[in-house]
């Protein structure tokens, strides 16, 4: 089976009853990524012909830079390119996106890069990029008339779903592995009293969610049965990077990989911007980052195979700990097509990555960002990332959620009596 990118799909009939006109904006259908079969917009995620994943297809409107720039300072400035209605801002949502793109001069100097930027998604409403995808999923759930908003999660997704569900006033149930970091549990439980801790790893939780989605009517599992809409939210990361660089694409971008959805959608965003004439066409390289303790995609990349062998995750980078990544195959495609790579780093390198970003740029990232920065460093040191080209690294999450990762590595330089003499004795005044 070959994959194709259904950038321009024919208009498909909207056969699903009860959808209001424009419920999904300029989206026309769901298109199979494997065989191209088209399905009407609805709560579908697998191709009825070949079980391949479905992706939202559009009849793209002519949208200009000026129209986008006149939009709100959140991801809805790109609503014309998302499967959401034109009045999306009127429905309560967490209004994520349009996070800062910081030029990272200190980190660039440290690594020997000419120009480097950090796309900092730790400043989203629940401090990870997941608020973007959840905002699109919430819109879909609402338009489909879902009664329950739910997800299986490695942590950040549960935070984003719980917060968005609270704000939308919809019943929200989130499922997490019971061994999840305490801060991520609390960050969900403050928003919902329906947090379910499952004895098992993420892949077990995901399987349970699929079963519930099949049994219960009206449940919108953001990353299961409304996944096609959900995943589109990650495109906004790509749009923003291009807009914030002055409407041009970077030469290289380094992106963490769990399911792989984010990486594939940043590439889709770049392709859309080119075909819509919003940026000039140019080559760019996409790099994927994994933690060695859960690196099925990096392993397949290095073995030069399409066969991704599922693994049992064992890493501190829990937000990336998906052992059987749904979009792994597409990540391989994109990284190979663009001349990038998929690389992995050890948990120790993840910790070093967290500290490196914090000490050079004042950005406290979680383990996913430590993974991405660690991989960036490894790619530069091994000569596979060109230091003279413009590079963007995506920070997808917030360090306060994974304090334990570095808590033993940092702390007071000295503990002293409250006297001047005691202070000078530390040598810190010199
Ligand atoms: C979920 C997550 C990712 C990976 O997203 P995928 O689209 O599943 O690859 C990366 N970083 C953080 C912080 C996440 O929570
Ligand atoms: Zn198909």
């Amino acid at each position: 089976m070959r994959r194709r990118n259904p950038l321009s799909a024919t208009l498909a009939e909207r056969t699903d009853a009860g959808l209001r006109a424009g419920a999904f904006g300029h989206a026309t259908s769901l298109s199979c990524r494997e065989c191209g079969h088209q399905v009407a917009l609805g709560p579908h995620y697998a191709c009825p012909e070949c079980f391949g994943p479905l992706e939202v297809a559009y009849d793209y409107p002519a949208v200009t830079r000026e129209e986008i720039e006149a939009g709100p300072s959140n991801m809805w400035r790109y609503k014309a390119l998302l499967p959401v209605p034109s009045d999306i801002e009127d429905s309560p949502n967490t209004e994520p996106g349009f996070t800062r793109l910081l030029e990272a001069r200190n980190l660039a100097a440290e690594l020997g890069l000419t120009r480097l930027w950090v796309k900092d998604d730790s400043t989203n409403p629940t401090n990870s990029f997941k608020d973007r995808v959840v905002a699109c999923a919430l819109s879909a759930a609402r338009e489909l008339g879902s009664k329950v908003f739910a997800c299986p999660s490695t942590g950040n997704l549960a935070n984003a779903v719980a917060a968005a569900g609270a704000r939308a006033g919809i019943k929200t149930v989130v499922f997490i592995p019971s061994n999840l970091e305490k801060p991520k549990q609390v960050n969900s439980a403050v928003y919902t009293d329906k947090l379910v801790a499952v004895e098992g790893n993420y892949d077990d939780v995901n399987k349970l969610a699929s079963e519930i989605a099949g049994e219960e009517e009206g449940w919108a599992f953001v990353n299961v049965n409304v996944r096609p809409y959900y995943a589109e939210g990650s495109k906004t990361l790509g749009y923003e990077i291009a807009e914030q660089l002055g409407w041009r694409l970077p030469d290289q971008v380094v992106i963490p990989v769990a399911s792989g959805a984010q990486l594939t959608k940043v590439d889709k965003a770049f392709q859309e911007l080119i075909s819509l004439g919003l940026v000039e066409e140019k080559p760019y390289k996409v790099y994927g980052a994994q933690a060695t303790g859960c690196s099925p995609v990096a392993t397949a990349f290095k073995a030069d195979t399409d066969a991704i062998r599922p693994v049992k995750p064992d890493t501190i980078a829990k937000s990336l700990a998906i052992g059987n990544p749904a979009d792994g195959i597409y990540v391989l495609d994109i990284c190979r097509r663009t001349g990038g790579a998929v690389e992995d780093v050890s948990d120790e390198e993840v910790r070093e990555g967290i500290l490196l970003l914090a000490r050079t740029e004042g950005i406290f990232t979680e383990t996913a960002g430590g993974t991405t920065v660690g991989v960036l460093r490894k790619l530069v040191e091994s000569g596979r990332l060109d230091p003279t080209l413009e590079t963007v690294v995506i920070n997808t999450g917030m360090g306060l959620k994974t304090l334990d990762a570095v808590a033993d590595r940092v702390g007071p330089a000295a503990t002293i009596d409250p006297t001047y003499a005691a202070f000078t004795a530390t040598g810190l005044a010199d």
Side-chain angles (χ1 to χ4, degrees):
M1 281 180 293
R2 271 325 290 169
R3 297 164 290 284
R4 63 183 202 110
N5 197 353
L7 257 188
S8 55
T10 54
L11 201 84
E13 273 184 288
R14 294 188 185 179
T15 54
D16 276 29
L19 279 188
R20 64 171 178 138
F24 295 98
H26 298 277
T28 53
S29 65
L30 298 173
S31 172
C32 175
R33 261 200 281 194
E34 293 292 335
C35 76
H37 180 76
Q38 310 252 323
V39 177
L41 294 165
H44 318 299
Y45 60 104
C47 175
E49 299 288 323
C50 76
F51 301 108
L54 297 174
E55 174 167 47
V56 179
Y58 300 84
D59 182 13
Y60 288 99
V63 57
T64 65
R65 293 176 179 179
E66 291 70 27
E67 283 163 358
I68 291 169
E69 287 165 358
S73 296
N74 58 53
M75 66 186 268
W76 304 131
R77 66 204 278 112
Y78 310 104
K79 66 185 175 185
L81 305 176
L82 297 170
V84 299
S86 58
D87 60 356
I88 180 70
E89 294 108 312
D90 298 340
S91 316
N93 69 87
T94 64
E95 301 179 9
F98 217 57
T99 57
R100 55 197 191 157
L101 181 75
L102 290 170
E103 182 157 12
R105 292 195 176 82
N106 298 329
L107 181 56
E110 181 76 25
L111 298 177
L113 293 170
T114 313
R115 290 197 86 181
L116 174 68
W117 289 264
V118 177
K119 178 59 175 166
D120 187 13
D121 248 24
S122 68
T123 61
N124 269 317
T126 68
N127 306 103
S128 88
F129 96 97
K130 290 295 197 305
D131 292 309
R132 297 175 187 271
V133 281
V134 166
C136 279
L138 176 62
S139 176
R142 201 178 253 139
E143 298 297 338
L144 292 166
S146 307
K147 293 178 310 215
V148 186
F149 198 47
C151 71
S153 171
T154 56
N156 283 317
L157 185 59
N159 298 171
V161 165
R167 191 159 160 74
I170 182 173
K171 176 178 171 183
T172 299
V173 187
V174 297
F175 299 83
I176 55 165
S178 56
N179 71 350
L180 200 63
E181 300 101 323
K182 189 85 183 172
K184 283 186 183 159
Q185 297 198 25
V186 175
N187 264 298
S188 291
V190 288
Y191 303 116
T192 179
D193 57 4
K194 298 179 184 66
L195 169 72
V196 182
V198 179
E199 303 280 6
N201 62 27
Y202 173 76
D203 298 283
D204 298 319
V205 182
N206 197 32
K207 218 176 290 164
L208 171 62
S210 299
E211 200 181 330
I212 298 170
E215 295 288 333
E216 301 287 337
E217 272 293 299
W219 282 54
F221 275 95
V222 302
N223 51 343
V224 182
N225 54 354
V226 292
R227 185 173 178 84
Y229 310 96
Y230 157 94
E232 289 290 287
S234 283
K235 292 195 304 185
T236 58
L237 267 167
Y239 301 147
E240 288 175 22
I241 289 169
E243 182 181 348
Q244 291 168 319
L245 285 174
W247 291 109
R248 61 196 182 87
L249 302 181
D251 299 315
Q252 307 177 127
V253 57
V254 189
I255 306 172
V257 172
S259 73
Q262 178 185 172
L263 186 145
T264 64
K265 294 299 178 174
V266 169
D267 175 65
K268 184 179 182 183
F270 288 176
Q271 293 295 323
E272 287 175 338
L273 292 176
I274 292 169
S275 65
L276 290 165
L278 288 166
V279 299
E280 232 167 77
E281 179 159 21
K282 67 172 253 195
Y284 59 84
K285 295 182 183 181
V286 180
Y287 294 87
Q290 297 205 294
T292 305
C294 184
S295 53
V297 188
T299 303
F301 182 89
K302 291 175 195 176
D304 205 19
T305 170
D306 267 358
I308 295 175
R309 204 171 300 151
V311 301
K312 232 185 177 54
D314 179 17
T315 170
I316 59 168
K318 291 202 165 64
S319 53
L320 300 181
I322 297 183
N324 190 9
D327 294 309
I329 184 80
Y330 306 109
V331 169
L332 289 174
D333 258 7
I334 290 162
C335 294
R336 285 178 180 142
R337 187 192 81 222
T338 63
V342 189
E343 186 52 277
D344 57 275
V345 287
S346 70
D347 283 359
E348 192 47 35
E349 290 168 308
V350 170
R351 292 188 186 93
E352 285 166 9
I354 293 173
L355 293 178
L356 180 62
L357 184 62
R359 301 243 160 127
T360 55
E361 299 299 342
I363 299 172
F364 188 16
T365 186
E366 67 146 85
T367 47
T371 303
T372 314
V373 171
V375 162
L376 168 68
R377 173 153 80 179
K378 192 165 174 179
L379 289 168
V380 176
E381 285 172 357
S382 62
R384 281 169 301 156
L385 189 131
D386 187 337
T388 67
L389 295 180
E390 295 188 342
T391 306
V392 172
V393 61
I394 300 182
N395 171 30
T396 49
M398 154 66 77
L400 290 174
K401 294 194 196 182
T402 59
L403 276 179
D404 282 352
V406 288
D408 296 340
R409 295 280 300 268
V410 295
T415 302
I416 59 170
D417 289 330
T419 66
Y420 182 62
F423 173 64
T424 54
T426 64
L428 289 170
D430 304 334

